[in-house]
Amino acid sequence: MWNHLDHTDWHARLAGRAIGLRQDWAYGQAMTALGATVGRAVVVQNGVELALVQVLQRRGLRVLAQGPVWLTDLTTTQKRQILQRLACHFGATIATPDAGLGGFGMVPFVTPQAYAVWHLGPDPVQLRENMWGKWRNRLTVAERHIRITDLRKPTQLAQLIAAEGAQRQARGYANLPGALAQHWAGEKLVLGWMGKGAVQAGMVFLIHGQSASYFLAWASAQARAAFVHGPMLWHAAQTLRGRGVMDLNLGAIDTQAGAGLARFKLGTGAGVQWAGPTCLVLP
């Protein structure tokens, strides 16, 4: 049933569940504000709700990522059949589920992507012990002279988004629109390091249920030399843990093209989690 639930119903069904960023109501709300068309469905069989799914839509195309969110235990075959049922429309359906759902009706065309996911459940002492030794040592040194602050002013967030946008263009990597953070109606955490009267580094985290996602970051040359993002990420982990977040998705890792960034993410003690391949779903 498409567009059957309001945000209260959506959140009630997802309470206590770990969900990906792209299945949170606030993501759809923000993307709508940016001009996208969003569809939300509840999948029901014999009166039993089996799944929730949020998709981006345009004429002839339906895109589904980090979902569906399964509301009950289902077999792989049942999950695949639900995806194929969601593909019953006049156009193509592209899906990147959290776990691989191969088989008949699923035509993979982009290989699975690995993500660094930092479990924040252990106490702070154990979290720190789980870090790679070199990463922890650099953090200890940086903490002696780095003070992280919350960036609460909209102008500071806008400045950070603009700086990251320029960085993205210069380095040629892809990301969701930075303006999504400005339209995010859910909880978020925006951190920064000030120097010479201006923001020299910052990070933005979007909170969705008991999970959070690293969204964007930027650092000046001075901040990079001082390993500012180490204390900033550690500060974020403790703050998010205090807000009930159990898992922090640090984003995709590429040990070849982005080996340095992959080491930075995994150095926190984060584990590797694989998404399924991106597939064309046959109805």
Side-chain angles (χ1 to χ4, degrees):
M1 296 186 291
W2 286 96
N3 304 315
H4 175 71
L5 306 178
D6 62 19
H7 73 280
T8 302
D9 297 327
W10 190 269
H11 286 304
R13 284 160 173 77
L14 296 180
R17 298 178 183 272
I19 62 171
L21 173 76
R22 290 167 174 80
Q23 293 301 311
D24 191 89
W25 185 280
Y27 174 79
Q29 192 173 2
M31 292 303 290
T32 299
L34 293 173
T37 300
V38 175
R40 300 182 180 95
V42 55
V43 181
V44 181
Q45 184 176 44
N46 298 327
V48 178
E49 295 184 355
L50 304 181
L52 292 183
V53 62
Q54 180 169 252
V55 301
L56 298 182
Q57 302 179 120
R58 63 176 61 181
R59 185 181 299 274
L61 182 64
R62 180 174 288 166
V63 179
L64 189 169
Q66 295 181 301
V69 180
W70 310 112
L71 302 180
T72 188
D73 290 332
L74 297 169
T75 66
T76 300
T77 299
Q78 288 173 314
K79 291 178 179 179
R80 186 172 63 246
Q81 289 172 342
I82 287 173
L83 282 171
Q84 291 184 267
R85 181 65 184 86
L86 290 166
C88 291
H89 69 108
F90 293 105
T93 297
I94 306 298
T96 309
D98 270 336
L101 291 174
F104 179 76
M106 306 287 290
V107 183
F109 63 91
V110 177
T111 56
Q113 176 67 64
Y115 293 85
V117 179
W118 194 5
H119 180 55
L120 306 181
D123 63 73
V125 173
Q126 187 61 53
L127 270 179
R128 199 157 178 131
E129 278 296 313
N130 292 342
M131 293 175 179
W132 293 3
K134 185 176 180 180
W135 206 102
R136 184 172 56 248
N137 293 339
R138 292 188 70 190
L139 171 64
T140 301
V141 172
E143 285 176 322
R144 295 171 186 164
H145 57 276
I146 297 299
R147 181 174 177 269
I148 305 303
T149 61
D150 286 5
L151 300 182
R152 302 183 185 278
K153 298 179 180 178
T155 53
Q156 292 174 318
L157 176 58
Q159 178 185 348
L160 184 56
I161 290 171
E164 192 274 339
Q167 171 183 273
R168 184 189 317 184
Q169 186 174 18
R171 297 183 183 177
Y173 64 86
N175 198 2
L176 289 167
L180 187 146
Q182 295 171 304
H183 293 283
W184 186 261
E187 285 189 82
K188 61 190 171 193
L189 177 64
V190 184
L191 301 177
W193 179 58
M194 307 297 293
K196 300 179 181 178
V199 177
Q200 295 293 331
M203 281 185 168
V204 178
F205 302 87
L206 304 180
I207 301 172
H208 38 99
Q210 292 183 316
S211 302
S213 293
Y214 155 84
F215 182 63
L216 61 80
W218 170 80
S220 66
Q222 178 188 0
R224 290 195 299 272
F227 193 59
V228 167
H229 277 168
M232 193 172 291
L233 193 53
W234 175 240
H235 182 96
Q238 295 181 87
T239 302
L240 292 169
R241 186 178 183 276
R243 294 189 189 181
V245 172
M246 300 303 294
D247 293 290
L248 172 56
N249 189 329
L250 297 176
I253 53 175
D254 184 341
T255 55
Q256 294 182 340
L261 184 56
R263 285 194 298 271
F264 174 77
K265 294 176 180 180
L266 296 176
T268 62
V272 177
Q273 182 173 303
W274 287 87
T278 299
C279 296
L280 172 67
V281 184
L282 303 181

